[in-house]
Amino acid sequence: MRTGKIKTGIASFGMSGKVFHAPFINVHPQFELTAIVERSKDLAKAIYPNVRIVRSIDELLAIDELELVIINTPDLTHYEYVKKALEAGKNVVVEKPFVMTTAEGKELIALARERGVMLGVYQNRRWDADYLTVKEILATNKLGRLVEYEATYARYRKQIREGTWKEREGGLVYNLGSHIIDQCVDLFGLPEAVFADVAVMRDEGVVDDYFLIHPLRCSKAPDVRITLKASYLMREQEPRFVLHGVDGSYVKYGVDIQEELLQQGAAPVGDDWGVEEPDKWGVINTEIDGEEVREKYPSQRGDYSGFFDSVYQRLRYGVPLPSDAIRVLPVITIIEAAIESSKTGKVVELSTLWKNYEF
């Protein structure tokens, strides 16, 4: 294994590169932001004067010193560009969704193993404040035996945003679905089956902008009723998380504050980074020592730096990567099953598919 800072290249300087990757790599003591692809502009240079600007993915991959490449280009390019990067002998982090099909994912995982390099997926929402809080509540059994779990991304954008590839390819189930399904699998394990409704709701919409997914009989929690939902037509917010147990409930509104801070140009540093104000905390209503308690429940501190810490641990010490591609591939399989279920109106069984995975 190599030593020293991990020299890193970013394949695009759009919203993902500007907000979710470059700021964290720039401040992380174990990484060096070395190169960024900008096809015609030099916007990154004004923010990161020491970075090298290149004009294509091929030019990026030709930089011998790069140890890690982040593929954060439009969804439909992930398979092609990840394959190129792996063939060039680079360690790779790919933005979600990992790929568009399970078959593509299996091929890339096999190639990474053949080349002896890392292939990880940027599932940064595992480091959201609200999700970390949900994990804490479940780990400490504050609600008793869990019976129901709901997770929702409530967005409102009535008009189709012209000039953005996300309105023309992929769809919401691949976009936000990749996060919400990944969190579900992380918490509850693999579902035996899926029942779903995936739809285009907005006028002139081309790709799905609504989904309702029920993963059924998950391996770690087969009796928990699970609902995963997202829509672009929720002007009035629904709770981000709703958990019901035999002893109590937890309800959380709002989303992690890191994205908003990053879009404002804030650097992800300091002990107060990712800390929610008390008025943003969720409410827990439960029973403790025979007494009913209803109060605000302090949110954990969110910090996407945790993802990059895990990449460093993997590349320098061989520690397994929590979001290694083989662990995230089931998310794509579940998305495919949800789309099939919506088309057929039937439950899609998955148990036999998991037997063919080499976790």
Side-chain angles (χ1 to χ4, degrees):
M1 293 185 182
R2 295 190 191 183
T3 60
K5 291 189 176 184
I6 299 169
K7 295 182 183 296
T8 304
I10 301 178
S12 171
F13 201 60
M15 190 267 202
S16 170
K18 292 176 185 176
V19 172
F20 290 113
H21 296 288
F24 289 95
I25 295 166
N26 184 57
V27 302
H28 199 294
Q30 307 299 342
F31 287 79
E32 177 190 297
L33 184 55
T34 305
I36 295 175
V37 176
E38 288 194 78
R39 297 190 182 279
S40 59
K41 300 178 181 179
D42 296 308
L43 300 177
K45 201 75 174 177
I47 308 171
Y48 309 107
N50 295 323
V51 77
R52 176 176 171 183
I53 304 299
V54 296
R55 300 306 184 190
S56 69
I57 185 71
D58 291 330
E59 190 178 350
L60 183 74
L61 298 178
I63 301 174
D64 290 338
E65 68 203 68
L66 284 187
E67 184 179 354
L68 175 67
V69 171
I70 295 174
I71 302 298
N72 60 327
T73 50
D75 298 354
L76 294 184
T77 68
H78 287 184
Y79 168 76
E80 176 189 355
Y81 289 171
V82 170
K83 186 174 182 179
K84 280 188 173 186
L86 295 174
E87 289 175 338
K90 307 299 186 184
N91 296 293
V92 175
V93 165
V94 57
E95 259 286 359
K96 59 78 200 166
F98 170 25
V99 282
M100 303 305 289
T101 70
T102 300
E104 289 177 345
K106 286 185 174 181
E107 180 184 340
L108 294 177
I109 290 166
L111 179 58
R113 287 176 174 173
E114 176 189 318
R115 298 302 172 97
V117 293
M118 183 197 77
L119 176 55
V121 185
Y122 187 60
Q123 297 291 166
N124 63 307
R125 297 294 178 178
R126 295 189 190 187
W127 286 269
D128 274 353
D130 48 19
Y131 179 65
L132 293 172
T133 306
V134 166
K135 292 187 75 172
E136 179 189 59
I137 289 172
L138 294 179
T140 52
N141 200 35
K142 286 184 168 56
L143 307 180
R145 177 174 57 84
L146 190 69
V147 297
E148 189 174 359
Y149 170 89
E150 297 181 11
T152 301
Y153 276 115
R155 301 287 173 87
Y156 184 74
R157 190 165 76 228
K158 181 172 68 172
Q159 304 297 333
I160 303 300
R161 183 179 293 174
E162 296 298 330
T164 173
W165 57 267
K166 289 185 179 181
E167 297 282 21
R168 300 296 171 188
E169 59 186 58
L172 195 64
V173 72
Y174 274 99
N175 183 8
L176 294 180
S178 293
H179 285 309
I180 208 169
I181 294 170
D182 178 71
Q183 290 175 338
C184 178
V185 172
D186 185 46
L187 286 174
F188 304 120
L190 300 175
E192 289 186 4
V194 169
F195 183 64
D197 181 21
V198 180
V200 181
M201 305 287 278
R202 292 175 298 171
D203 296 337
E204 301 179 4
V206 175
V207 295
D208 61 86
D209 49 24
Y210 165 90
F211 66 77
L212 180 68
I213 300 173
H214 295 293
L216 307 175
R217 303 182 301 279
C218 290
S219 59
K220 297 179 185 177
D223 296 326
V224 176
R225 270 48 183 180
I226 299 171
T227 300
L228 310 177
K229 182 179 180 182
S231 172
Y232 273 137
L233 291 178
M234 291 186 184
R235 194 162 196 158
E236 185 67 26
Q237 293 290 296
E238 293 187 5
R240 174 69 183 89
F241 286 104
V242 177
L243 282 67
H244 297 301
V246 295
D247 293 334
S249 303
Y250 172 74
V251 178
K252 174 69 168 70
Y253 281 85
V255 294
D256 183 277
I257 62 173
Q258 291 179 83
E259 181 175 345
E260 180 182 350
L261 293 173
L262 291 162
Q263 288 182 330
Q264 293 171 357
V269 296
D271 293 339
D272 60 346
W273 175 260
V275 175
E276 283 191 343
E277 295 296 327
D279 64 334
K280 303 293 185 183
W281 294 350
V283 172
I284 191 166
N285 186 340
T286 190
E287 186 176 301
I288 300 176
D289 297 327
E291 298 290 331
E292 181 178 344
V293 175
R294 185 183 187 278
E295 60 189 11
K296 289 278 191 177
Y297 189 88
S299 293
Q300 291 285 303
R301 175 175 176 262
D303 190 359
Y304 300 149
S305 295
F307 173 82
F308 295 97
D309 291 341
S310 71
V311 172
Y312 170 74
Q313 291 294 323
R314 165 64 177 83
L315 293 180
R316 289 295 176 263
Y317 301 106
V319 177
L321 186 68
S323 59
D324 188 279
I326 189 61
R327 301 186 185 191
V328 177
L329 183 60
V331 172
I332 304 304
T333 304
I334 293 167
I335 289 173
E336 291 179 303
I339 293 171
E340 180 184 349
S341 174
S342 183
K343 288 179 178 178
T344 63
K346 298 178 180 179
V347 172
V348 175
E349 297 293 332
L350 293 171
S351 298
T352 55
L353 292 179
W354 302 140
K355 295 177 181 178
N356 297 322
Y357 280 63
E358 297 180 10
F359 295 112

